[in-house]
């Protein structure tokens, strides 16, 4: 996918971006390969939470809960706040290490029961929160982590959750930890020898499912990187950024007009600000604003193109600040035709800039950006 890299020449605030959902992790330990995954998973979780619990600024993972599924489903951690709660989360990880590693093969999985129970627990937690404190996010993201073939789990959940109330579910994702290389005696216990792969768009349409499938490697770094993606904003309630370009750039898409063409985009951090890490001398309130604020139409960035520059002519010494990635928006409030048109125009711009080795310079009221698209 084409995407743009943004480097700021001044302070850039993401105050309106951070609206992270609660997370529910369901660990499928009911397979023979659980013994090969357990240590890597626990180490990755410990590394992730040691970072997530101590980051300054707005909470990037507000609530977390965990279920383990073997012969039955069990909640080993109800929804708890993540920030400043490392001791509680570490105790949960220690309990996960004690789950029997021989695995339990069974005809019928309890994953759907864990999803249903998790949704019910979240509803109860939300009602309690609304009474005792400020309301939290109205929906939860559920991740099913499994060693079994991901396609089979997706189809299974698709059939078993048809009559389940999904109002409070923001997203359901199945993450398959691939087998990798190992002894034949272990591999032979797998119910399917087909290589791990993701569901195609056509297959998802046939299944009529909104369940996402992702495959990751069975090593600590890969699993930890998967969890660290939770620290990035994934909200689709509104687009984050409007790029305003001369309409002649898209003459093939629309009739001639004087007003600028608007590309609606989302921002994604490329790096975590080191000032957010514990023990750093720099305060997060210095060059980068991390104050939480409600999203509104007025809070979107509007950047107008100044000129196109040759990429080779831009000296890195004139750019500073944290880099961001620009993507075409996936805001659910836009209709499908507008999303598709916006994405086509974004990709066309990226292709043109990449082919001509150009980058774009934009200007806003408080920030000037140099954007390299299509790299």
């Amino acid at each position: 996918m084409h995407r743009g890299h943004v480097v700021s020449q001044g302070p850039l605030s993401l105050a309106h971006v951070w609206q992270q959902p609660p997370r529910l992790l369901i660990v499928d330990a009911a397979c023979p390969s659980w013994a090969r995954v357990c240590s890597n998973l626990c180490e990755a979780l410990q590394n992730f939470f040691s970072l997530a619990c101590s980051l300054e600024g707005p909470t990037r993972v507000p609530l977390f809960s965990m279920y383990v599924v073997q012969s039955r489903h069990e909640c080993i951690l109800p929804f708890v706040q993540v920030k400043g709660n490392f001791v509680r989360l570490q105790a949960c990880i220690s309990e996960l290490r004690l789950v029997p590693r021989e695995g339990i093969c069974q005809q019928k999985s309890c994953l759907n029961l864990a999803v249903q129970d998790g949704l019910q627990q979240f509803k109860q937690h939300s009602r309690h929160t609304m009474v005792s404190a400020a309301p939290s996010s109205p929906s939860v993201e559920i991740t099913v982590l499994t060693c079994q073939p991901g396609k089979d789990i997706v189809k299974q959940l698709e059939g078993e959750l048809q009559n389940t109330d999904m109002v409070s579910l923001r997203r359901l994702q199945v993450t398959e930890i691939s087998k990798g290389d190992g002894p034949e005696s272990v591999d032979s216990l797998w119910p399917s020898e087909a290589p791990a792969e993701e569901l195609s768009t056509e297959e998802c349409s046939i299944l009529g499912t909104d369940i996402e499938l992702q495959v990751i490697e069975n090593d600590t770094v890969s699993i930890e990187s998967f969890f660290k993606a939770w620290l990035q904003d994934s909200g689709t309630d509104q687009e984050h950024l409007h790029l305003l370009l001369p309409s002649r750039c898209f003459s093939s898409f629309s009739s001639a007009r004087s007003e600028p063409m608007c590309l609606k985009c989302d921002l994604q951090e490329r790096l975590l600000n080191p000032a957010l890490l514990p023990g750093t001398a720099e305060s997060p309130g210095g060059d980068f604003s991390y104050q939480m604020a409600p999203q509104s139409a007025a809070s979107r960035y509007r950047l107008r193109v100044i000129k196109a520059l040759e990429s080779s002519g831009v000296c890195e010494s004139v750019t500073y600040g944290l880099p961001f990635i620009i993507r075409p928006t996936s805001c659910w409030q836009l209709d499908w035709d507008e999303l598709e048109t916006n994405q086509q125009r974004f990709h066309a711009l990226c292709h043109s800039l990449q082919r001509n080795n150009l980058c774009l310079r934009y200007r806003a009221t408080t920030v000037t950006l140099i954007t390299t698209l299509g790299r």
Side-chain angles (χ1 to χ4, degrees):
M1 176 181 291
H2 292 290
R3 59 188 183 183
H5 297 268
V6 179
V7 179
S8 66
Q9 289 186 316
L12 178 60
S13 169
L14 287 184
H16 65 288
V17 176
W18 302 116
Q19 287 194 349
Q20 299 291 67
R23 303 278 181 175
L24 171 61
L25 179 64
I26 299 175
V27 179
D28 179 13
C31 61
S33 294
W34 167 243
R36 302 171 60 194
V37 172
C38 180
S39 296
N40 290 337
L41 173 60
C42 291
E43 184 177 353
L45 282 170
Q46 180 142 338
N47 293 342
F48 167 71
F49 282 119
S50 66
L51 175 64
C53 292
S54 57
L55 281 177
E56 299 291 340
T59 302
R60 294 170 181 251
V61 184
L63 297 171
F64 179 76
S65 177
M66 185 187 297
Y67 279 73
V68 173
V69 174
Q70 282 195 316
S71 58
R72 59 188 179 88
H73 67 283
E74 178 185 2
C75 178
I76 63 174
L77 181 70
F79 280 103
V80 296
Q81 291 186 351
V82 171
K83 196 169 185 178
N85 210 4
F86 182 66
V87 174
R88 180 82 181 274
L89 292 162
Q90 192 174 34
C92 170
I93 296 171
S94 298
E95 188 172 348
L96 182 63
R97 293 183 190 273
L98 299 178
V99 173
R101 298 196 177 193
E102 61 271 15
I104 300 176
C105 292
Q106 51 186 341
Q107 296 296 323
K108 186 173 178 61
S109 172
C110 300
L111 291 174
N112 64 311
L113 300 179
V115 172
Q116 293 168 348
D117 192 65
L119 287 173
Q120 184 62 31
Q121 183 206 159
F122 176 72
K123 291 177 184 177
Q124 294 173 353
H125 182 276
S126 298
R127 285 196 293 266
H128 175 73
T129 303
M130 291 178 66
V131 173
S132 60
S136 59
S137 172
S139 57
V140 62
E141 289 201 7
I142 299 179
T143 299
V144 177
L145 202 63
T146 181
C147 308
Q148 302 184 58
K151 281 188 178 182
D152 295 345
I153 299 298
V154 168
K155 292 178 181 179
Q156 172 190 319
L157 291 175
E158 165 72 11
E160 295 174 342
L161 296 175
Q162 285 183 352
N163 299 321
T164 302
D165 181 8
M166 298 289 193
V167 173
S168 58
L169 178 65
R170 179 168 180 168
R171 184 173 68 158
L172 176 57
Q173 181 183 50
V174 172
T175 301
E176 175 190 341
I177 300 180
S178 63
K179 291 183 294 184
D181 297 325
E184 292 184 3
S185 59
V186 176
D187 286 349
S188 63
L189 295 174
W190 280 71
S192 172
E193 292 299 324
E197 56 183 359
E198 296 191 18
L199 284 173
S200 66
T201 304
E202 291 77 9
E203 287 175 308
C204 288
S205 299
I206 293 173
L207 291 173
T209 179
D210 292 324
I211 302 175
E212 298 179 13
L213 174 61
Q214 183 174 351
V215 181
I216 60 177
E217 296 297 321
N218 181 21
D219 61 80
T220 302
V221 174
S222 297
I223 300 174
E224 185 178 337
S225 297
F226 168 77
F227 289 127
K228 283 181 177 177
W230 290 359
L231 300 177
Q232 298 176 332
D233 177 61
S234 57
T236 58
D237 291 339
Q238 74 163 44
E239 64 273 18
H240 303 153
L241 182 71
H242 286 180
L243 301 182
L244 305 178
L245 299 101
S247 57
R248 63 178 178 273
C249 295
F250 300 99
S251 57
S252 60
F253 291 100
S254 60
S255 58
R257 55 182 181 178
S258 57
E259 63 268 20
M261 180 67 65
C262 177
L263 292 181
K264 298 179 179 180
C265 306
D266 293 335
L267 279 174
Q268 178 184 318
E269 283 181 302
R270 186 65 181 88
L271 299 171
L272 284 176
N273 187 350
L276 295 178
L277 300 176
T280 55
E282 183 181 353
S283 169
D287 294 333
F288 207 87
S289 172
Y290 287 90
Q291 299 300 317
M292 295 293 287
Q295 290 192 344
S296 65
S299 66
R300 299 187 187 102
Y301 288 106
R302 293 177 63 85
L303 305 178
R304 186 180 298 271
V305 66
I306 299 175
K307 62 174 65 176
L309 306 171
E310 289 190 10
S311 299
S312 59
V314 177
C315 180
E316 293 186 3
S317 64
V318 301
T319 63
Y320 60 90
L322 296 175
F324 294 86
I325 293 174
I326 293 179
R327 302 177 186 273
T329 187
S330 54
C331 174
W332 61 268
Q333 299 191 58
L334 303 180
D335 62 59
W336 182 256
D337 290 338
E338 184 177 1
L339 281 173
E340 187 175 17
T341 300
N342 184 75
Q343 187 176 66
Q344 289 174 351
R345 291 174 175 174
F346 185 91
H347 290 171
L349 176 63
C350 290
H351 177 74
S352 176
L353 293 175
Q354 187 176 30
R355 182 184 58 191
N356 296 293
N357 194 30
L358 296 174
C359 62
L360 295 178
R361 186 180 183 187
Y362 294 89
R363 183 183 298 279
T365 55
T366 59
V367 63
T368 299
L369 302 179
I370 294 179
T371 306
T372 305
L373 294 168
R375 292 188 177 275

